[in-house]
Amino acid sequence: MSRRPTCDEAMPRGDGHDAPLVQIGLPTGARSTGFEATRRDVLSLMGFSLGAIGLGAGCRAPVQHAVPLPSASTEMVPGVPNLYATTCGGCGASCGLVVKQRDGRPIKIEGNEASPLTGGGTCAAGQASVLSLYDDARLRGPVWLGNAVSWSEIDRHITTMLGGGGSDRRAIVLLSPTINSPSTRAVLADFRTRFPGFRHVVHDPMSLAALREANRLAFGAAVVPHFHFDRARVVVALEADFLGTWLAPVEFSRQWARRRTADGTRGFHVQCEAGLSVTGSNADLRLAVAPSELGTVAVALLAAVARRVNDAGLAALNATGLGQTAPHAAAIDRVADALARHRGESLVVTGSDDVATQLVVGKLNALLGNIGGADGPIDLARPSLQAQGDDAGVPALIDDMNRGAVSALIIWGANPVYDHPDGLAFRKALGRVPLTISFADRRDETSAHVHALCPDHHFLESWGDAEPVSGHFSLAQPLIAPLHDTRAGAESLLAWAAPAAGAAGAGKPADHRLYLRDFWRRALYPRAATAAGFDDFWERTLERGVVELPGPAVQTHAFAGDWQGAVRDIVTRASRAGTDHGGYELALHETVGARDGRHANNPWLLELPDPITRLTWGNVASIAPATAAALGVATGDVVTLTTETGKLELPAFVQPGQDRRTISVAVGYGRWAAGKAGDGIGANVYPLARVENGVRRYAARVNVAKAGRRARLAPAQTHFSMEGRDIVQSLTLASLEHEHEHEHEELPNLWRERLHGAHAWGMSIDLDACTGCSACVVACQSENNVPVVGAEQVRKSRIMHWLRIDRYFDGDGEDATTVHQPMMCQHCQHAPCETVCPVLATTTSSEGINQQVYNRCIGTRYCANNCPYKVRRFNWHNYTANDDFPYNMTSPLGRLVLNPDVTVRSRGVMEKCNLCVQRVQLGKNQALLQRRPLADGDVATACQQACPTGAIVFGDLADAGSRVSKLLAGRRAYRVLDDLGTRPNVGYLKKIELKEKA
Amino acid sequence: MRLRGIVFGFVVLGAGGGLLARGATRIGVHQGYAPEQPIAFPHKVHAGDNKIACLYCHSAARTSRHAGIPSASVCMNCHALLEKQTTAIQRLKEAVQQERPIAWTKVHNLPDFVYFNHSQHVVSGVACQRCHGAVEQMDRIEQAAPLTMGWCLGCHRAEAHVPTSTFARVAANVRGRPTPFAGEDCTSCHY
Amino acid sequence: MSAGGIHTSDPTTGAAPDTLPATRWIEGTPSLHRITSDISRPMEAKPGRGWWICFALASAAVLNLLGMVGYLFAKGIGIWGLNNAVGWAFDITNFVFWIGIGHAGTLISAILLLFRQKWRTSINRSAEAMTIFAVMCAGLFPLIHMGRPWDAFFIFPYFPNQRGPLWVNFRSPLVWDVFAISTYFTISLVFWYLGMIPDLATLRDRAVGGIKKFVFRILSLGWNGSQRTWSRYEIVSLVLAALATPLVLSVHSIVSTDFATSLVPGWHTTIFPPYFVAGAIYSGFGMVLTLLIITRQTMHLERYITVNHLEAMAKVTLLTGSLVGYAYATEFFNAWYSGNVHERFHFINRATGPYAWCFYLMVLCNVLTPQVLWWKRARRSVPLLFVVSILVNVGMWFERFVIIVVGLHRNFLPSAWGMFYPTVFDIGILVGVFGLFFSLFLLFIRALPMIAMWEVKGVSNG
């Protein structure tokens, strides 16, 4: 007789089965653990032992089906991932990506190693952007006046209303953040030819208008220069978080890390800032400086450097004696020494929102000869094309709208109602515009008030290109057919710009891909000095993702800015500030998780602990310990921040390193129309900083008062001191050269040495290169199907991240020093967890990986208790398909992001880092299929691949030639809690301390 | 008299225990499962009588973790030319004409927490029949092997020659291409 | 005064227990028949109001337990206060606590039997019963603390299995626990039952027929009280006692290895086995005292459970309590002497950290309280003993809580430090298990002779 399957096949498949768009051979399922099965098995076993039932009995499983494609595809083999190069749409930096597509869906974002800018790095937001593709809050199709309609219908409405297309009096305005896509710029040009009255207003929530304005005044070109931190032996950053959030953090991190060499050529990095930033936490010397003092410090620095290079023209400056009155005078002198020593190979950079300060810094760089030159640290000729925002634009636009001078407003990627100080005014003004259109992918704060919602694709669904730095081009191609009835923004514009019916070429459907290809043929291919035909060029570029096409250089002249005027301006303001010393200064900043707020509905980013505060799910008012004491405020007390443009209630957070006169608050929170996960998380601080004579300020005078309430924060780490234990070790360059540094002596061990098999997988983490940017954390979450648990569970310290970045402070004053330490399973060869598990659910494999077998685990949690690194994570609840946890794993759409090669863990199971064993197995299998031995570097873990500074190296310790073996044999290598004799396969490289400390 | 009673009791207990033990080890084992298919596809005719190689249709097994069930278009490679008509073939052709995918019923189902990769077994020269039984003689496919962990380990233990000594590792590298060995680690299949 | 004296000796002024003639372990000289009827009264009379109230409370707690455990199985361990830092708290605390309680019984019946301690006769039966119920309560926690009991069978090394076969990790103390506790439970059960057979026979003969007689007939295994039966019976008891004695020491030693073999500061200590055994006997006697003081009042058995018994137990309590106190001191000394930064920090944290109040409560209850028992008057004052016994139970529960939670919440990496706050489910289950324990005991004193008649008769002066 043929028995039907019994119950244990009724296993919930992680995904794939409910995948609407992939109908392929076999269950693509992220294999959710079959704990159901084991349970039923036991029940039926009990039933049997009671003699109640016979063998054939037992419940029936729903029969599983396998549905092959109607016709075979050569592109896609079921179960074999494809990699496609594209361009990140996460922020303006447009990093090159290689996206892993499995059975027709993108499931993992990786950096594009071919990119000369990022070299394969990514950031947390970029890693998480794949989840936004499967966001339930996305619009399913176009909406006209609140009703879902078809594209043809909405096009009809819009084209008729655009009609002749405005005039110089009644303009059609496009409001968007910086657009660095050449093809899109061409689309806009076409649009302008069709509609003469067309205008483009660029609005960046966090803008660099002051920098561009200063460069216009100084060098005659309003550009954001292309910075080369790797060409600078000395980097001085004034309020510029270039490793975390400023301009192009991934590219800059890579450059910066190149200077973190363990020898005499090591760079020296000085950071002057109000709130502790990721960059500041990695600086060799950090000076706490209030925003109002930034100018003074710049001037003092200029004066100090001037003295050293004894530049005649600057004698007058010395007379002002600012060098003395400015804070940190002594430190500034030391910095000036370093700068003067490295003329031409140093870099002073500031994100200040004050043109005068920018001018002074420009002068300083000019004085030091850092500008221009073939390998100068500052490149004005081939500038960055990011952050082109024009702060005066939005206020002017609001006026025009109110004056009725705008006939149609198209909003593309901008959300001014949320992220502009005049958001409220903007929303009111929207009502005065006859036709408002938004390309937003959801009903957000702004698009909720427009007439026509024409949702744009997610960047993983659409074609496109980018030119983040002039000459550096990057192509974007769709990884998946659009999930919903959306349309590329450029395509919409083309459709509306199509010649009116009857005119030549009418009725030709706009096709973004063809347009893009055609544009590249026309505009860019000629610049490519290649013999190959366009088709080859196109194919190769598409495959490689990035291409360098040198263009004409921007014409600039030598520094000609009125720096004396700037200095005078700063001095007078400083003295005025000196007179009225009441209240504090509010300093707005971005965090690596929330950035400017556009990713607000992404649970991965919401639950990403901030590298500095280690807080999740919300922003806080960071207050210096001294100030907190003065105000009688403790962490968690709600404080009221009042500026002249508004007030705000936020929980206070006592932050070492914070300048004592400033309160720092992260932007990007407090969205109210982002989606289920993101709404009402934290508070929106944008309205508290205003636009001042054409430039948007990110600082303001603020009054702080206790609100008398307490808020419950959700910290991922509660204790900030290392308690004098040598967990994060460091050494000085001197001691590194020093020969007689005591060798690491072997400790006696009661266990037999463990024989390893063909490989012994290990990892090395360079604490000197790790910035704490947290890209690896999200990469790990995305690769390994790590669930999001929500604020309440994080409060109970039940966060599930396999890889966390511990952060310790030394001291708690303004001069507190910070260290970051990525901490995950250390893969001990004498693992404490292994001996105590009663059921052998965790053991060390023949290849040195401490393996966790989910389906064997019975959940005693003994292993977690016995783990000295506390890296094991227990599934306290069922986090999948459980309405108590309404995050991506509970939504059928969100589950599409799950990695089919990694089991989705069930409740009551222990889990932890397994060194991406699925990648190891895949790598070994690839080698086997190609009949070759596995080479070093064939396998990269998710965290390693994501790391922009290359701090993480994974490899085979059994192969003495492998990179990881060499690194872990070096002098800087050490193991955490070595004296416990756990013999980890994960090792760390000690931080390097420069003598220069404040 | 009483003695006989005791003996009888022990016999009953023993038999019951034996049955229980056997039952316990058979739970969730579906050896012999042979469901109806939407189109009665006789492997006997194709793989047996006509000696079509397994990997001709299940080409994915060479490169993928999934053996892959061929698209109807693959069937048409031959059936477009063959004039032999049966109702089954008729239904196949309809499906192809209407671009309608066929929902086959899976026979060999592994639990979701088991990772099995066809390609690495195929390339290591494991015959399909070793796990799938004498497919070429089956009219309707049925699960031949128990597909339990113990059963997998049967082969893996026999085939496992993991080089543990430095010499063995060097030898493996010198030999250039690695001799495939069956892993015995938990993470060979569970992750 | 002669042992045959008619008058009952006044405990306070009467013959000093340690001088001849030996302490009298029964008040007065009841006839053998009187003893039988006294002891079997609770089983034959209708339960009083006191009993009903106690039983109502206890079984209410049991219902609560069932509900909460059901919810736990449905929702998962997350409903407790546990977290990444503290993986065990109330669950294992309760487990160790109840195992500890389960120690007095076998000690009394086995070891004291071997030492020919006559005073055990009237308390051993209930002590053994208590042991069995306590071990049952303890056994609950390893099962429910996994949250998925349907997988618990993985912990047994059974063959054949489908997994190749896959066995268990014999290096894990949790596996040792499985064997140690099941063995202990079996032996205790057998010992208890065996000790009851003669009394069951008595009850069988007293029973006026019906279901009761039938049950007792089955249970008494056809006991006929012949000379031969008795002599063999005595031998079997001695053999079993000899078997049970090592278990008294082994069980808690093995339970202590759950902690001692780990590397958690505050757990990783060599003195744990003796220290845990002492603690277990300590808490066991505490519980025996509590129970007997209640029952002798409510069941009017003062005649058989005399103040002398209580005093004898008070002495054991004093001894073991002092041992435990000594162990506490040793731990601190070793931490300091080891020079190990983590060990030292743990004990500083134990005495000054957020859970310091638990530590001081534990010292107060376990070390200071029993010291009053140096005074004979204190040892013979029933109300005082009652208070002491309660405090001992509280203290011993907190001892386990301090060891487990303080050890876990702040150890090697400060980045991973956390706190444990119990939820309503932690507390509810704690209470519920006490309910289970007491309802079992209340049923026991109604259904079975809570004093070994035949043994009491052995020491009677009638």
Side-chain angles (χ1 to χ4, degrees), chain C residues 322-384:
Chain C
S322 309
L323 282 175
V324 168
Y326 173 72
Y328 295 166
T330 315
E331 279 188 305
F332 272 83
F333 171 78
N334 280 344
W336 166 78
Y337 190 65
S338 70
N340 178 312
V341 53
H342 304 296
E343 278 291 322
R344 283 184 170 181
F345 176 86
H346 168 79
F347 283 93
I348 292 167
N349 183 46
R350 184 183 279 193
T352 64
Y355 293 108
W357 65 273
C358 304
F359 169 71
Y360 292 112
L361 183 61
M362 142 188 137
V363 171
L364 178 72
C365 296
N366 292 353
V367 185
L368 304 184
T369 313
Q371 300 312 319
V372 304
L373 299 177
W374 286 108
W375 288 274
K376 185 179 184 67
R377 171 164 306 181
R379 290 200 299 269
R380 300 187 70 86
S381 144
V382 177
L384 187 88

Side-chain angles (χ1 to χ4, degrees), chain A residues 307-447:
Chain A
R307 275 198 300 284
R308 282 159 182 74
V309 306
N310 44 50
D311 175 298
L314 289 153
L317 183 55
N318 286 316
T320 63
L322 262 159
Q324 285 64 39
T325 61
H328 310 297
I332 287 176
D333 271 341
R334 276 219 306 293
V335 176
D337 283 333
L339 284 172
R341 239 184 290 120
H342 297 291
R343 263 182 268 175
E345 48 174 1
S346 57
L347 173 52
V348 186
V349 57
T350 175
S352 167
D353 55 11
D354 172 36
V355 178
T357 310
Q358 291 282 5
L359 263 178
V360 172
V361 169
K363 176 63 184 171
L364 189 50
N365 280 316
L367 183 64
L368 289 164
N370 297 335
I371 298 169
D375 53 2
I378 299 178
D379 188 349
L380 285 167
R382 288 189 172 46
S384 161
L385 299 181
Q386 306 155 42
Q388 304 295 305
D390 158 27
D391 292 354
V394 171
L397 176 60
I398 294 175
D399 293 344
D400 293 352
M401 288 156 76
N402 287 328
R403 281 191 295 103
V406 178
S407 66
L409 176 65
I410 306 171
I411 303 169
W412 187 0
N415 188 5
V417 173
Y418 162 71
D419 63 23
H420 196 278
D422 305 330
L424 197 60
F426 186 90
R427 187 169 64 72
K428 294 213 184 73
L430 273 175
R432 312 289 305 280
V433 181
L435 174 62
T436 51
I437 305 166
S438 172
F439 292 171
D441 69 341
R442 69 195 62 219
R443 258 199 195 73
D444 63 24
E445 291 77 357
T446 307
S447 62

Side-chain angles (χ1 to χ4, degrees), chain A residues 35 38-39 42 717-719 721-723 725 727 751 796-799 804 806 808 823 832 834-840 855-862 865-866 868-870 873-874 876-877 884 907-909 977 980, chain C residues 72-85 87-88 91 145-148 150-151 153-155 163 166-169 171-175 257-258 261-264 342 345 408 411-417:
Chain A
F35 290 93
T38 4
R39 189 186 83 255
V42 179
Q717 177 181 345
T718 51
H719 195 78
S721 157
M722 229 182 304
E723 293 295 321
R725 307 171 184 181
I727 296 162
W751 295 100
K796 292 184 171 157
S797 52
R798 290 175 181 175
I799 197 165
R804 63 175 198 258
D806 292 345
Y808 299 104
M823 180 54 64
E834 182 177 350
T835 52
V836 297
C837 175
V839 293
L840 295 164
N855 49 309
R856 180 67 175 171
C857 176
I858 57 176
T860 67
R861 302 185 297 287
Y862 199 173
N865 291 341
N866 209 29
Y869 309 94
K870 284 263 188 269
R873 296 290 176 254
F874 188 68
W876 301 101
H877 293 283
D884 300 349
R907 145 164 91 85
V909 179
L977 298 177
L980 294 178
Chain C
L72 177 79
F73 289 166
K75 278 286 181 180
I77 297 300
I79 66 171
W80 285 345
L82 300 172
N83 55 51
N84 292 342
W88 287 347
D91 47 1
H145 96 292
M146 302 176 189
R148 292 176 303 143
W150 47 87
D151 273 351
F153 73 103
F154 278 4
I155 210 168
R163 301 181 191 78
L166 181 61
W167 287 62
V168 296
N169 180 7
R171 290 183 300 174
S172 167
L174 289 187
V175 174
T257 57
D258 289 351
T261 62
S262 81
L263 47 62
V264 177
H342 304 296
F345 176 86
L408 291 173
N411 54 33
F412 300 97
L413 295 188
S415 62
W417 288 2

Side-chain angles (χ1 to χ4, degrees), chain A residues 4 110 221-222 239 264 331 445 478 532 603 628 731 829 855 876 983 994:
Chain A
R4 310 243 342 182
E110 313 244 307
E239 206 60 66
E445 291 77 357
L731 42 66
Q829 296 313 287
N855 49 309
W876 301 101
R983 304 277 174 93
L994 295 187

Side-chain angles (χ1 to χ4, degrees), chain B residues 43-181:
Chain B
H43 273 80
K44 187 172 186 304
V45 175
H46 294 76
D49 308 349
N50 295 317
K51 307 224 170 337
I52 302 172
C54 308
L55 290 174
Y56 177 79
C57 304
H58 301 286
S59 54
R62 249 193 240 92
T63 55
S64 170
R65 61 181 277 200
H66 303 308
I69 297 198
S71 304
S73 61
V74 176
C75 311
M76 296 317 287
N77 291 352
C78 304
H79 281 284
L81 311 173
L82 303 173
E83 59 285 336
K84 175 160 188 262
Q85 288 299 349
T86 69
T87 54
I89 296 173
Q90 214 42 53
R91 291 178 43 207
L92 172 75
K93 289 184 168 165
E94 282 162 19
V96 173
Q97 277 141 18
Q98 300 160 9
E99 278 284 307
R100 173 165 48 78
I102 303 163
W104 301 92
T105 303
K106 271 190 89 217
V107 179
H108 300 85
N109 299 303
L110 290 179
D112 285 1
F113 50 74
V114 178
Y115 180 94
F116 176 81
N117 189 319
H118 274 89
S119 66
Q120 85 198 80
H121 290 81
V122 169
V123 74
S124 309
V126 180
C128 307
Q129 286 83 347
R130 204 151 154 200
C131 305
H132 293 286
V135 174
E136 66 277 6
Q137 295 160 18
M138 298 183 193
D139 263 325
R140 186 204 285 173
I141 286 293
E142 83 167 47
Q143 179 180 332
L147 299 185
T148 61
M149 172 170 157
W151 174 80
C152 294
L153 278 172
C155 291
H156 274 242
R157 290 203 171 115
E159 302 295 327
H161 26 75
V162 182
T164 48
S165 71
T166 323
F167 175 78
R169 272 193 299 280
V170 172
N173 289 344
V174 168
R175 226 183 286 108
R177 67 177 192 69
T179 46
F181 60 80

Side-chain angles (χ1 to χ4, degrees), chain A residues 770-991:
Chain A
C770 173
T771 66
C773 75
S774 301
C776 50
V777 179
V778 182
C780 173
Q781 182 157 31
S782 154
E783 169 74 17
N784 293 303
N785 301 338
V786 174
V788 172
V789 297
E792 191 47 43
Q793 296 295 310
V794 176
R795 268 181 211 113
K796 292 184 171 157
S797 52
R798 290 175 181 175
I799 197 165
M800 290 300 283
H801 292 157
W802 286 5
L803 164 57
R804 63 175 198 258
I805 300 186
D806 292 345
R807 190 266 296 105
Y808 299 104
F809 291 126
D810 183 1
D812 63 357
E814 289 182 341
D815 58 352
T817 57
T818 318
V819 288
H820 304 278
Q821 182 177 45
M823 180 54 64
M824 79 295 280
C825 176
Q826 301 287 294
H827 296 276
C828 311
Q829 296 313 287
H830 298 153
C833 52
E834 182 177 350
T835 52
V836 297
C837 175
V839 293
L840 295 164
T842 184
T843 54
T844 301
S845 81
S846 71
E847 302 186 349
I849 291 178
N850 184 290
Q851 48 197 359
Q852 178 70 27
V853 186
Y854 310 123
N855 49 309
R856 180 67 175 171
C857 176
I858 57 176
T860 67
R861 302 185 297 287
Y862 199 173
C863 52
N865 291 341
N866 209 29
C867 173
Y869 309 94
K870 284 263 188 269
V871 291
R872 294 179 149 265
R873 296 290 176 254
F874 188 68
N875 286 269
W876 301 101
H877 293 283
N878 178 15
Y879 298 119
T880 52
N882 177 351
D883 293 338
D884 300 349
F885 301 95
Y887 309 113
N888 65 301
M889 280 195 181
T890 296
S891 115
L893 192 56
R895 272 202 291 277
L896 295 185
V897 83
L898 292 175
N899 181 352
D901 292 340
V902 175
T903 308
V904 172
R905 281 78 59 186
S906 168
R907 145 164 91 85
V909 179
M910 193 61 72
E911 60 183 74
K912 63 160 190 69
C913 160
N914 54 18
L915 287 179
C916 285
V917 65
Q918 66 279 7
R919 288 174 171 236
V920 175
Q921 294 294 77
L922 188 71
K924 276 156 56 182
N925 196 32
Q926 292 303 335
L928 186 62
L929 297 189
Q930 294 157 19
R931 297 282 177 196
R932 59 173 177 78
L934 195 62
D936 186 30
D938 277 0
V939 181
T941 60
C943 50
Q944 172 187 13
Q945 210 292 328
C947 183
T949 63
I952 303 177
V953 176
F954 171 83
D956 186 353
L957 294 172
D959 163 13
S962 68
R963 264 184 81 206
V964 66
S965 302
K966 293 209 186 80
L967 285 168
L968 289 184
R971 297 179 83 57
R972 281 167 66 208
Y974 78 102
R975 305 290 205 278
V976 176
L977 298 177
D978 198 21
D979 54 340
L980 294 178
T982 52
R983 304 277 174 93
N985 266 14
V986 175
Y988 292 81
L989 304 185
K990 294 178 184 174
K991 251 184 116 60

